[in-house]
Amino acid sequence: MKSPFPRHPAASASKLRMMAVICLLPFAVTALRAEEPQPPVVDPGQPGGAPSDAIVLFDGKDLSKFRGERKPEPTWKIADGAMESTPPGGVFSKEEFGDIQLHVEWAAPTVPKGEGQGRGNSGVYLMGRYEIQVLDCFNNKTYPNGQCGAFYGHNPPLVNACRKPGDWQVYDIIFHAPKKVDGKVVAGSYTVLHNGILIQDHIPVGEKSTTAAPLNGFAETGPLYLQDHGNPVRFRNVWLRKLNAPAK
Ligand code: MG
């Protein structure tokens, strides 16, 4: 039915303007929000490589980023792009780190020798204090908090995700170091993926180090330590990203 009241031209123009504002507002807001500070761009690299903001500790060529545990220079052998645990002692990174994302690939020796803790034993020690156990647990039983992927002596992994000896395996670790706030230690945390599978889920970590860790006690940072346990475990593609640090 036709309105008995004639439409005022000014009212019509005002309505059009309002509709235009309503229609264009989301685009304007989107454009404005695109000007907000952006997350840094990181080139993730190719599979098997390190991202652009990583510190590469070992790229298969040399051990210049490490020092020896028992001797000034590392005693570990390098062959076929991997370093191999070679007595005496493990290797410490020269640089120290706190909160990190760590990527390490490792392979247990073939042919497998020994049983339990004697088969393919090594370890990835965060800050030289907190060991994520490296052990050949493929058809090899041991105590749960000492098996592959355990926070040694404290916390077993959620599952055993081991590949067979000789196969390359991957640890991706998110580590937040304990902090000291008003003189008191506040727990950090660690999360571990083994071959892409979650095995340690945001577990608190305080001052208590792993049994027989080469370093002990509270510190803000510490070196990455790879253990020599007398078994020729190999490592490659060792890199990390400092967390809470500006991208390079
Ligand atoms: Mg070990």
Side-chain angles (χ1 to χ4, degrees):
M1 191 176 75
K2 196 175 174 184
S3 169
F5 306 102
R7 194 182 293 170
H8 195 284
S12 223
S14 157
K15 197 172 176 184
L16 276 172
R17 273 198 299 276
M18 189 179 290
M19 283 178 68
V21 167
I22 289 168
C23 291
L24 293 174
L25 192 59
F27 297 102
V29 170
T30 301
L32 277 174
R33 294 201 63 193
E35 297 307 314
E36 292 172 2
Q38 300 287 307
V41 173
V42 174
D43 178 354
Q46 297 303 310
S52 58
D53 64 346
I55 295 171
V56 178
L57 291 181
F58 179 67
D59 64 359
K61 297 189 182 92
D62 64 68
L63 286 165
S64 59
K65 301 275 178 66
F66 288 90
R67 62 181 170 86
E69 180 180 8
R70 305 269 164 78
K71 296 185 174 183
E73 291 300 316
T75 50
W76 289 25
K77 288 189 289 196
I78 297 179
D80 301 325
M83 58 170 150
E84 182 177 297
S85 176
T86 313
V91 290
F92 288 98
S93 66
K94 290 176 181 172
E95 189 174 348
E96 299 199 347
F97 307 99
D99 300 353
I100 56 169
Q101 173 187 347
L102 174 67
H103 176 95
V104 176
E105 299 175 20
W106 60 271
T110 52
V111 174
K113 290 180 185 167
E115 298 294 329
Q117 292 291 307
R119 184 185 292 190
N121 194 333
S122 182
V124 174
Y125 286 64
L126 301 150
M127 291 178 60
R129 291 163 170 76
Y130 313 107
E131 180 184 16
I132 303 301
Q133 173 72 307
V134 168
L135 192 72
D136 178 5
C137 283
F138 188 84
N139 295 331
N140 178 38
K141 268 192 178 176
T142 186
Y143 43 93
N145 67 7
Q147 78 170 77
C148 187
F151 176 40
Y152 186 82
H154 295 284
N155 204 48
L158 294 168
V159 296
N160 176 353
C162 264
R163 294 187 173 129
K164 65 182 189 297
D167 284 359
W168 283 104
Q169 314 206 38
V170 182
Y171 278 168
D172 286 298
I173 300 171
I174 311 297
F175 175 70
H176 291 279
K179 307 282 187 298
K180 216 165 228 180
V181 179
D182 298 331
K184 288 184 180 170
V185 174
V186 177
S189 67
Y190 61 93
T191 296
V192 182
L193 287 93
H194 182 189
N195 297 325
I197 294 167
L198 183 67
I199 61 166
Q200 300 278 0
D201 188 4
H202 200 67
I203 306 296
V205 60
E207 269 185 288
K208 206 168 182 181
S209 305
T210 303
T211 316
L215 299 173
N216 286 286
F218 177 81
E220 290 183 347
T221 61
L224 177 71
Y225 170 72
L226 302 177
Q227 183 188 39
D228 170 48
H229 204 277
N231 303 147
V233 175
R234 292 178 298 149
F235 292 87
R236 72 178 186 186
N237 289 337
V238 182
W239 56 259
L240 57 84
R241 300 176 62 243
K242 289 182 180 179
L243 302 180
N244 305 319
K248 287 190 287 185

